[in-house]
Amino acid sequence: MFGLVIGDWTPFSIDTVRLMMTMFDRDMSGTIDFQEFAGLWRYIEDWKKCFRTFDRDNSGSIDRSELLSALTAFGFRISQQVVDILVKKIDTLDDVKSKTGRGDIGFDRFIYACVTVKTLSDSFRNLDTNNDGWIELNYDSFLMMSISNKI
């Protein structure tokens, strides 16, 4: 997995690698086989296309409103408040800070944001058995879901 690099040949952060491994390790073996890697590669290529679409000034980063637009394009219906919390979470990660302090994020953290939203959305959908956008959780269920997502 450390063989994967961002377009400028910098490696992905360990946080992003862990999230991608969790997402694509379908058999829960702790490693990804060729099929799982092929799926991961296709997903990264899709993320690159989406990121480039929303990085309109080719600066290598996107802002909060562009992130919301990108996540919406990926099929996630989330609010600006969720994006704000997500960017704040990303800014607290110690290995990569936002370039401008305004919440602009680069490609690595864009993937981190997308994987985070997808993982949490998948967990929610598993519990939303009637697909009405509402779930009921007791405290134990909330903790188990949160810990299993390791965010």
Side-chain angles (χ1 to χ4, degrees):
M1 185 58 106
F2 289 103
L4 289 175
V5 292
I6 301 170
D8 64 359
W9 293 101
T10 55
F12 284 103
S13 68
I14 193 69
D15 299 314
T16 303
V17 170
R18 281 187 189 124
L19 279 176
M20 289 190 295
M21 287 290 293
T22 300
M23 186 175 164
F24 284 90
D25 182 15
R26 306 252 188 253
D27 61 3
M28 307 301 245
S29 65
T31 62
I32 57 174
D33 63 22
F34 182 77
Q35 292 294 92
E36 293 164 333
F37 182 80
L40 171 59
W41 188 261
R42 282 190 302 275
Y43 217 62
I44 289 173
E45 289 302 311
D46 289 344
W47 280 322
K48 279 183 191 175
K49 290 174 192 166
C50 188
F51 183 83
R52 287 182 188 133
T53 299
F54 292 96
D55 180 18
R56 292 189 175 96
D57 63 355
N58 294 317
S59 65
S61 64
I62 60 175
D63 64 26
R64 291 168 192 255
S65 65
E66 292 168 329
L67 178 59
L68 176 60
S69 297
L71 289 168
T72 300
F74 259 49
F76 300 109
R77 293 182 298 152
I78 61 174
S79 68
Q80 185 65 54
Q81 292 84 359
V82 171
V83 170
D84 290 344
I85 290 170
L86 185 57
V87 169
K88 185 180 254 185
K89 164 80 173 170
I90 289 168
D91 277 346
T92 63
L93 299 171
D94 28 320
D95 61 332
V96 178
K97 297 285 185 188
S98 68
K99 293 180 181 179
T100 63
R102 295 180 311 207
D104 294 354
I105 61 171
F107 182 61
D108 179 85
R109 291 309 183 196
F110 174 73
I111 289 180
Y112 183 90
C114 290
V115 173
T116 297
V117 171
K118 182 181 183 341
T119 301
L120 292 172
S121 295
D122 289 348
S123 293
F124 184 90
R125 287 182 189 122
N126 286 337
L127 297 171
D128 184 15
T129 54
N130 59 357
N131 296 318
D132 66 355
W134 290 90
I135 61 172
E136 189 173 315
L137 290 176
N138 64 27
Y139 183 63
D140 223 29
S141 297
F142 169 76
L143 288 175
M144 287 188 297
M145 185 177 82
S146 298
I147 291 167
S148 69
N149 284 313
K150 297 176 191 156
I151 297 182

